[in-house]
Amino acid sequence: MAQSRSDKLKRLVTVQRHLEKMAEIDLATTARQRREVAETMDVVVEAINSLDPVHRSFSRHYSGQYGKLQQQEQMLANVQEMHEMRLVRERAKGDRMEDRMKEARSAEDREAADDSIYDLIDQHIAYKGNDD
């Protein structure tokens, strides 16, 4: 069975919305990772500022760890920005595709209405032709 243009576009919209959902999940994952890194950074800062003699002996290690966490936070911030842009792009594609699907469906409905009117006219002409 031949599919109409609107049906094909509907399938594409469904796929596009799935891609959008995947982008949202990636963004949420990155945001969660950033929160975890921020929490770890807070713990390391508390350890560095601690007056406990155990923490004082590891202060050099803690400062190195803090530097690595800062780098990881910056990298995750860049990744999150990329995911946000991807999400906006995927959402815009989906919206445009959905608009095209609605336009195609409207055109198909108009064509079906026109065809039914033409059929009625043909039937009326055929009926008038049989009366003569």
PDB file of all heavy atoms in Angstrom, residues 34-53:
ATOM      1  N   ARG A  34      27.901  17.113  36.229  1.00  0.00           N
ATOM      2  CA  ARG A  34      28.420  18.398  36.714  1.00  0.00           C
ATOM      3  C   ARG A  34      28.087  18.609  38.181  1.00  0.00           C
ATOM      4  O   ARG A  34      28.913  19.121  38.947  1.00  0.00           O
ATOM      5  CB  ARG A  34      27.860  19.548  35.890  1.00  0.00           C
ATOM      6  CG  ARG A  34      28.544  19.715  34.556  1.00  0.00           C
ATOM      7  CD  ARG A  34      28.120  20.970  33.858  1.00  0.00           C
ATOM      8  NE  ARG A  34      28.711  22.132  34.508  1.00  0.00           N
ATOM      9  CZ  ARG A  34      28.367  23.375  34.246  1.00  0.00           C
ATOM     10  NH1 ARG A  34      27.422  23.626  33.356  1.00  0.00           N
ATOM     11  NH2 ARG A  34      28.950  24.385  34.855  1.00  0.00           N
ATOM     12  N   ARG A  35      26.869  18.222  38.590  1.00  0.00           N
ATOM     13  CA  ARG A  35      26.493  18.352  40.002  1.00  0.00           C
ATOM     14  C   ARG A  35      27.394  17.477  40.873  1.00  0.00           C
ATOM     15  O   ARG A  35      27.836  17.903  41.943  1.00  0.00           O
ATOM     16  CB  ARG A  35      25.029  17.978  40.212  1.00  0.00           C
ATOM     17  CG  ARG A  35      24.037  19.055  39.833  1.00  0.00           C
ATOM     18  CD  ARG A  35      22.638  18.743  40.331  1.00  0.00           C
ATOM     19  NE  ARG A  35      22.123  17.456  39.898  1.00  0.00           N
ATOM     20  CZ  ARG A  35      21.543  17.207  38.729  1.00  0.00           C
ATOM     21  NH1 ARG A  35      21.396  18.188  37.866  1.00  0.00           N
ATOM     22  NH2 ARG A  35      21.102  16.010  38.426  1.00  0.00           N
ATOM     23  N   GLU A  36      27.650  16.262  40.406  1.00  0.00           N
ATOM     24  CA  GLU A  36      28.514  15.358  41.172  1.00  0.00           C
ATOM     25  C   GLU A  36      29.921  15.922  41.303  1.00  0.00           C
ATOM     26  O   GLU A  36      30.524  15.858  42.382  1.00  0.00           O
ATOM     27  CB  GLU A  36      28.548  13.980  40.505  1.00  0.00           C
ATOM     28  CG  GLU A  36      27.254  13.215  40.612  1.00  0.00           C
ATOM     29  CD  GLU A  36      27.247  11.938  39.777  1.00  0.00           C
ATOM     30  OE1 GLU A  36      28.252  11.655  39.085  1.00  0.00           O
ATOM     31  OE2 GLU A  36      26.229  11.222  39.825  1.00  0.00           O
ATOM     32  N   VAL A  37      30.456  16.493  40.227  1.00  0.00           N
ATOM     33  CA  VAL A  37      31.794  17.084  40.276  1.00  0.00           C
ATOM     34  C   VAL A  37      31.795  18.276  41.222  1.00  0.00           C
ATOM     35  O   VAL A  37      32.731  18.443  42.021  1.00  0.00           O
ATOM     36  CB  VAL A  37      32.271  17.473  38.853  1.00  0.00           C
ATOM     37  CG1 VAL A  37      33.502  18.369  38.902  1.00  0.00           C
ATOM     38  CG2 VAL A  37      32.560  16.227  38.035  1.00  0.00           C
ATOM     39  N   ALA A  38      30.751  19.094  41.182  1.00  0.00           N
ATOM     40  CA  ALA A  38      30.665  20.256  42.077  1.00  0.00           C
ATOM     41  C   ALA A  38      30.613  19.808  43.542  1.00  0.00           C
ATOM     42  O   ALA A  38      31.265  20.417  44.404  1.00  0.00           O
ATOM     43  CB  ALA A  38      29.442  21.092  41.728  1.00  0.00           C
ATOM     44  N   GLU A  39      29.859  18.758  43.816  1.00  0.00           N
ATOM     45  CA  GLU A  39      29.798  18.241  45.185  1.00  0.00           C
ATOM     46  C   GLU A  39      31.161  17.721  45.632  1.00  0.00           C
ATOM     47  O   GLU A  39      31.583  17.965  46.764  1.00  0.00           O
ATOM     48  CB  GLU A  39      28.746  17.128  45.283  1.00  0.00           C
ATOM     49  CG  GLU A  39      27.322  17.605  45.152  1.00  0.00           C
ATOM     50  CD  GLU A  39      26.320  16.471  45.006  1.00  0.00           C
ATOM     51  OE1 GLU A  39      26.722  15.281  45.053  1.00  0.00           O
ATOM     52  OE2 GLU A  39      25.122  16.773  44.828  1.00  0.00           O
ATOM     53  N   THR A  40      31.852  17.028  44.742  1.00  0.00           N
ATOM     54  CA  THR A  40      33.183  16.510  45.063  1.00  0.00           C
ATOM     55  C   THR A  40      34.157  17.660  45.302  1.00  0.00           C
ATOM     56  O   THR A  40      34.988  17.607  46.219  1.00  0.00           O
ATOM     57  CB  THR A  40      33.695  15.596  43.931  1.00  0.00           C
ATOM     58  OG1 THR A  40      32.742  14.574  43.691  1.00  0.00           O
ATOM     59  CG2 THR A  40      35.026  14.968  44.288  1.00  0.00           C
ATOM     60  N   MET A  41      34.040  18.716  44.486  1.00  0.00           N
ATOM     61  CA  MET A  41      34.894  19.888  44.679  1.00  0.00           C
ATOM     62  C   MET A  41      34.650  20.501  46.049  1.00  0.00           C
ATOM     63  O   MET A  41      35.604  20.914  46.738  1.00  0.00           O
ATOM     64  CB  MET A  41      34.660  20.911  43.565  1.00  0.00           C
ATOM     65  CG  MET A  41      35.205  20.491  42.214  1.00  0.00           C
ATOM     66  SD  MET A  41      34.745  21.590  40.868  1.00  0.00           S
ATOM     67  CE  MET A  41      35.778  22.999  41.207  1.00  0.00           C
ATOM     68  N   ASP A  42      33.400  20.580  46.469  1.00  0.00           N
ATOM     69  CA  ASP A  42      33.070  21.126  47.794  1.00  0.00           C
ATOM     70  C   ASP A  42      33.703  20.291  48.900  1.00  0.00           C
ATOM     71  O   ASP A  42      34.249  20.831  49.864  1.00  0.00           O
ATOM     72  CB  ASP A  42      31.551  21.192  47.984  1.00  0.00           C
ATOM     73  CG  ASP A  42      30.890  22.238  47.102  1.00  0.00           C
ATOM     74  OD1 ASP A  42      31.605  23.138  46.596  1.00  0.00           O
ATOM     75  OD2 ASP A  42      29.656  22.147  46.914  1.00  0.00           O
ATOM     76  N   VAL A  43      33.646  18.978  48.752  1.00  0.00           N
ATOM     77  CA  VAL A  43      34.244  18.083  49.754  1.00  0.00           C
ATOM     78  C   VAL A  43      35.749  18.282  49.814  1.00  0.00           C
ATOM     79  O   VAL A  43      36.346  18.344  50.907  1.00  0.00           O
ATOM     80  CB  VAL A  43      33.878  16.609  49.449  1.00  0.00           C
ATOM     81  CG1 VAL A  43      34.678  15.666  50.321  1.00  0.00           C
ATOM     82  CG2 VAL A  43      32.386  16.386  49.632  1.00  0.00           C
ATOM     83  N   VAL A  44      36.388  18.408  48.644  1.00  0.00           N
ATOM     84  CA  VAL A  44      37.841  18.601  48.602  1.00  0.00           C
ATOM     85  C   VAL A  44      38.213  19.946  49.228  1.00  0.00           C
ATOM     86  O   VAL A  44      39.195  20.037  49.989  1.00  0.00           O
ATOM     87  CB  VAL A  44      38.373  18.479  47.159  1.00  0.00           C
ATOM     88  CG1 VAL A  44      39.824  18.917  47.059  1.00  0.00           C
ATOM     89  CG2 VAL A  44      38.218  17.052  46.660  1.00  0.00           C
ATOM     90  N   VAL A  45      37.450  20.990  48.961  1.00  0.00           N
ATOM     91  CA  VAL A  45      37.725  22.303  49.558  1.00  0.00           C
ATOM     92  C   VAL A  45      37.581  22.229  51.073  1.00  0.00           C
ATOM     93  O   VAL A  45      38.403  22.789  51.815  1.00  0.00           O
ATOM     94  CB  VAL A  45      36.791  23.385  48.961  1.00  0.00           C
ATOM     95  CG1 VAL A  45      36.822  24.665  49.770  1.00  0.00           C
ATOM     96  CG2 VAL A  45      37.177  23.663  47.519  1.00  0.00           C
ATOM     97  N   GLU A  46      36.565  21.541  51.549  1.00  0.00           N
ATOM     98  CA  GLU A  46      36.396  21.369  52.991  1.00  0.00           C
ATOM     99  C   GLU A  46      37.593  20.639  53.593  1.00  0.00           C
ATOM    100  O   GLU A  46      38.066  20.985  54.677  1.00  0.00           O
ATOM    101  CB  GLU A  46      35.113  20.604  53.291  1.00  0.00           C
ATOM    102  CG  GLU A  46      33.849  21.396  53.093  1.00  0.00           C
ATOM    103  CD  GLU A  46      32.592  20.568  53.325  1.00  0.00           C
ATOM    104  OE1 GLU A  46      32.673  19.503  53.968  1.00  0.00           O
ATOM    105  OE2 GLU A  46      31.533  20.994  52.850  1.00  0.00           O
ATOM    106  N   ALA A  47      38.092  19.631  52.890  1.00  0.00           N
ATOM    107  CA  ALA A  47      39.244  18.878  53.383  1.00  0.00           C
ATOM    108  C   ALA A  47      40.500  19.752  53.396  1.00  0.00           C
ATOM    109  O   ALA A  47      41.301  19.680  54.330  1.00  0.00           O
ATOM    110  CB  ALA A  47      39.465  17.638  52.531  1.00  0.00           C
ATOM    111  N   ILE A  48      40.657  20.573  52.363  1.00  0.00           N
ATOM    112  CA  ILE A  48      41.829  21.464  52.302  1.00  0.00           C
ATOM    113  C   ILE A  48      41.783  22.472  53.453  1.00  0.00           C
ATOM    114  O   ILE A  48      42.806  22.768  54.085  1.00  0.00           O
ATOM    115  CB  ILE A  48      41.902  22.191  50.937  1.00  0.00           C
ATOM    116  CG1 ILE A  48      42.282  21.198  49.839  1.00  0.00           C
ATOM    117  CG2 ILE A  48      42.898  23.344  50.976  1.00  0.00           C
ATOM    118  CD1 ILE A  48      42.212  21.777  48.437  1.00  0.00           C
ATOM    119  N   ASN A  49      40.600  22.999  53.757  1.00  0.00           N
ATOM    120  CA  ASN A  49      40.451  24.016  54.795  1.00  0.00           C
ATOM    121  C   ASN A  49      40.338  23.422  56.197  1.00  0.00           C
ATOM    122  O   ASN A  49      40.267  24.170  57.171  1.00  0.00           O
ATOM    123  CB  ASN A  49      39.230  24.890  54.510  1.00  0.00           C
ATOM    124  CG  ASN A  49      39.423  25.719  53.264  1.00  0.00           C
ATOM    125  OD1 ASN A  49      40.546  26.075  52.920  1.00  0.00           O
ATOM    126  ND2 ASN A  49      38.328  26.026  52.581  1.00  0.00           N
ATOM    127  N   SER A  50      40.319  22.121  56.287  1.00  0.00           N
ATOM    128  CA  SER A  50      40.147  21.454  57.580  1.00  0.00           C
ATOM    129  C   SER A  50      41.383  21.639  58.457  1.00  0.00           C
ATOM    130  O   SER A  50      42.517  21.691  57.981  1.00  0.00           O
ATOM    131  CB  SER A  50      39.889  19.963  57.361  1.00  0.00           C
ATOM    132  OG  SER A  50      39.852  19.294  58.591  1.00  0.00           O
ATOM    133  N   LEU A  51      41.159  21.723  59.740  1.00  0.00           N
ATOM    134  CA  LEU A  51      42.252  21.823  60.702  1.00  0.00           C
ATOM    135  C   LEU A  51      42.701  20.452  61.193  1.00  0.00           C
ATOM    136  O   LEU A  51      43.637  20.346  61.983  1.00  0.00           O
ATOM    137  CB  LEU A  51      41.811  22.686  61.896  1.00  0.00           C
ATOM    138  CG  LEU A  51      41.470  24.139  61.553  1.00  0.00           C
ATOM    139  CD1 LEU A  51      40.975  24.870  62.786  1.00  0.00           C
ATOM    140  CD2 LEU A  51      42.666  24.851  60.955  1.00  0.00           C
ATOM    141  N   ASP A  52      42.064  19.426  60.714  1.00  0.00           N
ATOM    142  CA  ASP A  52      42.406  18.059  61.098  1.00  0.00           C
ATOM    143  C   ASP A  52      43.817  17.730  60.586  1.00  0.00           C
ATOM    144  O   ASP A  52      44.121  17.930  59.407  1.00  0.00           O
ATOM    145  CB  ASP A  52      41.377  17.097  60.499  1.00  0.00           C
ATOM    146  CG  ASP A  52      41.497  15.688  61.028  1.00  0.00           C
ATOM    147  OD1 ASP A  52      42.480  15.393  61.722  1.00  0.00           O
ATOM    148  OD2 ASP A  52      40.588  14.882  60.730  1.00  0.00           O
ATOM    149  N   PRO A  53      44.697  17.216  61.467  1.00  0.00           N
ATOM    150  CA  PRO A  53      46.074  16.918  61.032  1.00  0.00           C
ATOM    151  C   PRO A  53      46.150  15.882  59.907  1.00  0.00           C
ATOM    152  O   PRO A  53      47.078  15.914  59.088  1.00  0.00           O
ATOM    153  CB  PRO A  53      46.764  16.386  62.289  1.00  0.00           C
ATOM    154  CG  PRO A  53      45.788  16.483  63.395  1.00  0.00           C
ATOM    155  CD  PRO A  53      44.485  16.965  62.860  1.00  0.00           C
TER     156      PRO A  53
END
